Amino acid sequence: MWNAVTRAVSPSLGRCELSYIARTPIDVARARAQHRDYLRALESAGCGVLTLPVESELPDSVFVEDVAIVLDELAVLTRPGAPSRRPEVASVANLLREYRSLEAIAAPATLDGGDALSIGRMLYVGQSARSNPDGIAQLRELLAAHGYAVEGVVTRGCLHLKSAVTALSDDCVLLQPAWVDRERFADFRIIEVDPAEAHAANVLRIGDTLIMPASFPRTRRRLLDAGFEVAVVDVSELQKAEGAVTCCSLVFRSDPGA
Ligand code: CIR
């Protein structure tokens, strides 16, 4: 029912882009092992996992989420805000064209997939350091024809919109109030991250399954108490590269017409 595009961890992960966290040494072998566990969690959630070849010279290439937005009707290739990440797009495009028709964000616009939060027919898109107003406008234009609305949302103090808020279901979001205005999500039931776990808002939703990092037990408790089932994966080495669980896959329906 689901496919997940992924890419193995690059040996150069230690040279990744960093914006809001300090650089600390990354154990690439451990990152690889954690990534393999993540792939197993995707399989357990019902995904057919598609794995792209490793890119030795592209440090952030494991974070495939940022280079495309995949919807039932089409996929939009992004133009990542960090120039070092733009060479990641072509290989993902070559795989995605087997599953979706492709559109693309064009220069000078920039857009990172991590800024695109899709809930139903609505896409909330972070106005972040990575995604500029032109990128959001181009996405709005491309998706209007397919019945999607696109709304920009200001973020502060975090890399992407999905660092600050993700969907737990079609009517409930998990949110970090320091990084995004609660009021923008007033139509949803809002669960806030535990104050001791600043980075906990990034949860991967695959149908009714939720996956989150093992390092946020207090926030996970909040989700369990609210009736959600949540699997955990240890992604501590990927977190040192400012990544988490949504960023390591592009999940899409394998049967979009069904
Ligand atoms: C970057 O700064 O682009 C990477 N080091 C981390 C990207 C994480 N992507 C995501 O959460 N969507």
Side-chain angles (χ1 to χ4, degrees), residues 73-196:
E73 298 82 358
L74 77 166
V76 179
L77 305 173
T78 68
R79 183 167 181 273
S84 71
R85 301 207 53 195
R86 293 181 192 149
E88 297 174 27
V89 179
S91 53
V92 172
N94 280 337
L95 180 54
L96 283 178
R97 78 174 79 251
E98 295 176 29
Y99 299 89
R100 294 290 190 275
S101 59
L102 300 183
E103 298 283 357
I105 299 297
T110 63
L111 190 73
D112 276 16
D115 273 317
L117 171 61
S118 152
I119 310 178
R121 308 301 287 182
M122 177 67 83
L123 269 88
Y124 297 94
V125 184
Q127 293 168 241
S128 68
R130 296 287 176 86
S131 299
N132 66 19
D134 195 4
I136 297 171
Q138 284 189 25
L139 186 67
R140 181 177 296 120
E141 177 129 1
L142 288 170
L143 296 187
H146 298 277
Y148 291 91
V150 171
E151 271 188 19
V153 181
V154 173
T155 60
R156 51 181 178 272
C158 64
L159 181 58
H160 290 128
L161 179 64
K162 277 187 279 190
S163 316
V165 57
T166 55
L168 302 173
S169 66
D170 281 344
D171 57 11
C172 183
V173 295
L174 176 63
L175 180 143
Q176 163 53 281
W179 295 346
V180 70
D181 287 338
R182 272 181 67 103
E183 294 65 40
R184 292 304 309 272
F185 295 90
D187 291 343
F188 298 88
R189 178 177 160 213
I190 296 174
I191 300 177
E192 291 190 1
V193 299
D194 186 281

Side-chain angles (χ1 to χ4, degrees), residues 16-17 60 63 65-66 85 114 130 159-160 241-243 247:
C16 63
E17 299 281 342
D60 283 307
F63 302 125
E65 170 182 60
D66 292 318
R85 301 207 53 195
R130 296 287 176 86
L159 181 58
H160 290 128
E242 217 164 349
C247 55

Side-chain angles (χ1 to χ4, degrees), residues 29-53:
R30 188 150 180 250
R32 287 221 172 97
Q34 291 177 347
H35 189 255
R36 283 193 292 272
D37 288 345
Y38 172 84
L39 301 188
R40 276 193 280 277
L42 292 179
E43 284 169 354
S44 299
C47 291
V49 174
L50 309 165
T51 305
L52 289 160

